[in-house]
Each structure stands twice: as structure tokens, then as C-alpha cells.
Amino acid sequence: QGDLAPASTFKVISTTAAVLGGADLNGTYPCPSSYTVSGQTFRNYESEGFGDISLARALEVSCDTVFYRLAYDMWRRDGGSEPSGRTADLFLRTAEGFGLGRRTGVDLPGESTGRVVDRERKKSDYAELSAAYCRRAANGYPEVADPAQAELYRKYATEYCQDGARYRAGDAINFAVGQGDSLATPLQMATIYAAVANGGTLYEPHVAKAIVRPNGDVVRELAPKVNGTLPADARTIAYLQQALSGVPVNGTAHNVFSGFPLDQVPIAAKTGTAEVDGKQTTSWFASFAPANAPRYAVVFMVSQGGTGAGTSGPSVRAVYESLFGIDGSKVDPARSVLRGGAPARSLPRVGQDR
């Protein structure tokens, strides 16, 4: 039920969208510390530039500006904020193809769909919300104690009142790095990274494996159900797998996995730090392992928790240490929390309680 901006964990989607739009997996792309459009400057999270880099390196170091430019170019190709005809909107459509904006179907009540805001959603939201924002633009936020914060909110309201129905450059740019209006649940991100790991199949997640009578008779086993296929070819998926494998080696998760036996249990990962107005950042860490023969997908999120690597990363490492029986740099399957070092393939024996 947690609706959160997915931040840079979203970049596996953006990379796929860029390739679908003609970006070259073998090409290089500028990664300056900031990118300016129509007088508005969008910065890398830590304002660091890396020069001309590959898309793989952009994922490793989480360069925002590479994806800002790719998204802006596609937005302009679609006609910008005033398109004359049907738009491709590849970033938006690719996100939907990865399962965002709809429920995963998990066997738990109250699952959220997340949120993908496209051009039509912008218009419908504006029809519903514009009157309230226009009143705020005129009357401000007198209940907000901090005058500077109140004025910032009033400026936001004014901007929305005047222009909130259009899909603007800033919407496209923020969407490309998992910010802005886009929202996802941790479970959605887990299914996405599991799909990248398994070659492209989105599965419906389940808590239950079977329905069993009190005497042990199996009523029904719940077979895996396919929800869809990622809109990416085998070459792109292999590229993502390889690029994500570099994040713990020489990317944003390098410090988190220092001393971890990556040569024996390689980890594929992506960090994310979502900026939320008026709150601390949301920490994300999405991963699967072993990267070269995936068995597990682990996604960790801490609301208002700080950075992805600094807060969520150590917990993900601890999960993998428990799964694989890792102590320091040693791997001992006998130490795994799973009996035999792997999930049970058969159902447990169930007997009547005496």
C-alpha cells in the first residue's frame, strides 16, 4: 500500500524507454552536473558530473542528467506540451509495460496501483483539482507557520492553476528519474527487478503457496501466474543485468558491499534516493542475486530514511548474508537461514494439532 516516488530504481525503465526510442546501447551520453531547460535547472542528486559515459555507467553512478536529456528529447519529439497529433510517450508507456499503474495481484487486501501520470491523467487531475489550487494561488497558505515555505507553496499553486493541465518538460524530466507525480509500491519494484533478473517475465507475487486442510490434504497449489512481459528485447535485458552488476562493484553501492564476496555471490542492484518536499528523502535499494544466476530479488525502502545506499543498502546486504550463509568474506550454505541453503520445493508436512 506504500505509494512512493521510486527515484533512481526507476532508471531500468528509463534505460529501456531510451533504447525503444533509438538510443544506442553502445553509445556515450553527456553527464554534466546539471541540465537546464527554459531557465529551470535540474541537477544530479549530488551535483556531480562524470563527462561522457555509457548508459551502463549512468546506471552505476546514477547520473540523473543523462536521463533528463533523453526524456526531454523524446518529449520534444512528441510535440512538447502542445502536441499536434498522437504522441508516443515512450517513457510513460514503458513504465506501464513494466507493470506500474496497476496492481500486481498479490494475495493480500488493499493493494495500491501506484501512479503513472500521462497527458490524459494530467487533464483529468486538473479538472478535479484546479479550483482548489487557484484558490490557494489567490489566498496563499496562512496556516503554514514558515513564511518562506508558505510562499513556496503559493508559487506551486499559482503554477498549477495556470498550467497544470499540460504535460510539460519538467514533468517528462522528473518522470525519467522516478520523481514528480510518479508513484510505485515496493512490491511493484520487486516484481520489476525479478523480471529483469529472469529475462523479462512479470509474475503475480503470492504469499500463499497452497491451500491445505488441517489433516494435511492439499486442496490446491497456487501455480505461478504470468502478469506480462517487459517491453524489452533480450539484448536490452542482458545489458541491464550486466549494468546493475556493476553498481556494487564500482557504483553507488560500492561502499555498502565492501568486503562482501562479490566474486562468489555477485549482486545486481540499483540505489534510489527520492526527494520529497518538506520531508526527508525516501531511501530505496532494489536488487537481485546471484547476478549471474538469479534466485532472489530483494527490495528495501525506508520512508524519510535518507539515501538509498546509506540507509537501505546495509539491510539488503544483511538479507543476502542470511540467505547465502555469508560470514565476512566466506560463503557457507550450511549457515543459510533456509534449510539446505535454498527454498523448499515441496510443501511442508501438516498434521492435526494434538
Side-chain angles (χ1 to χ4, degrees):
Q1 295 176 325
D3 282 325
L4 305 121
S8 291
T9 60
F10 186 88
K11 287 174 182 171
V12 294
I13 299 173
S14 295
T15 301
T16 303
V19 173
L20 291 172
D24 185 359
L25 286 175
N26 295 319
T28 57
Y29 303 84
C31 175
S33 61
S34 64
Y35 184 64
T36 302
V37 173
S38 302
Q40 185 174 0
T41 298
F42 300 85
R43 302 187 183 280
N44 274 337
Y45 178 69
E46 295 181 349
S47 297
E48 184 177 359
F50 290 89
D52 290 344
I53 59 176
S54 66
L55 289 174
R57 185 60 177 158
L59 288 169
E60 288 178 354
V61 299
S62 207
C63 177
D64 290 336
T65 52
V66 165
F67 296 98
Y68 291 158
R69 182 183 298 273
L70 289 166
Y72 178 66
D73 288 346
M74 286 198 194
W75 175 82
R76 288 186 62 194
R77 190 189 309 171
D78 279 331
S81 60
E82 297 181 356
S84 59
R86 187 173 182 178
T87 56
D89 290 327
L90 277 175
F91 276 77
L92 294 162
R93 301 289 84 84
T94 303
E96 292 170 346
F98 270 70
L100 296 187
R102 67 175 188 266
R103 294 179 178 87
T104 66
V106 65
D107 45 349
L108 291 171
E111 183 186 10
S112 172
T113 62
R115 181 175 165 93
V116 175
V117 179
D118 59 13
R119 295 174 190 269
E120 293 306 312
R121 182 68 179 266
K122 290 283 288 186
K123 292 176 183 177
S124 63
D125 282 355
Y126 185 78
E128 179 181 349
L129 302 172
S130 59
Y133 276 103
C134 291
R135 283 195 297 270
R136 286 294 194 175
N139 302 325
Y141 290 78
E143 73 277 14
V144 177
D146 183 351
Q149 193 71 30
E151 177 60 16
L152 179 63
Y153 289 164
R154 189 193 67 79
K155 288 181 177 178
Y156 287 159
T158 301
E159 181 181 355
Y160 189 85
C161 176
Q162 296 172 348
D163 209 27
R166 295 196 300 170
Y167 193 75
R168 299 160 298 179
D171 295 315
I173 286 171
N174 281 318
F175 187 80
V177 294
Q179 294 277 178
D181 292 330
S182 57
L183 298 172
T185 70
L187 185 59
Q188 285 174 325
M189 298 313 297
T191 62
I192 285 171
Y193 276 77
V196 172
N198 71 34
T201 302
L202 286 163
Y203 283 102
E204 182 177 274
H206 284 284
V207 174
K209 186 169 178 62
I211 300 169
V212 182
R213 298 187 190 280
N215 65 0
D217 291 343
V218 177
V219 177
R220 178 164 60 96
E221 289 196 49
L222 303 177
K225 179 181 176 182
V226 173
N227 270 346
T229 303
L230 298 184
D233 61 20
R235 181 167 175 260
T236 301
I237 291 174
Y239 186 91
L240 290 173
Q241 293 171 342
Q242 187 64 36
L244 296 174
S245 300
V247 174
V249 177
N250 52 17
T252 55
H254 171 70
N255 290 337
V256 176
F257 282 90
S258 177
F260 188 92
L262 291 170
D263 57 332
Q264 300 175 70
V265 184
I267 307 293
K270 186 72 197 76
T271 60
T273 305
E275 298 177 82
V276 184
D277 187 44
K279 299 180 180 180
Q280 295 295 316
T281 54
T282 299
S283 169
W284 284 92
F285 200 102
S287 67
F288 56 85
N292 56 354
R295 292 161 60 193
Y296 309 106
V298 178
V299 172
F300 216 88
M301 182 282 303
V302 181
S303 177
Q304 299 194 66
T307 65
T311 302
S312 294
S315 295
V316 172
R317 174 173 175 157
V319 170
Y320 283 127
E321 287 173 339
S322 296
L323 286 173
F324 292 103
I326 295 171
D327 183 11
S329 60
K330 297 180 180 178
V331 182
D332 181 3
R335 296 174 59 92
S336 171
V337 293
L338 301 173
R339 183 178 299 178
R345 292 186 175 275
S346 58
L347 295 175
R349 296 180 64 183
V350 178
Q352 292 187 3
D353 188 356
R354 290 179 170 81

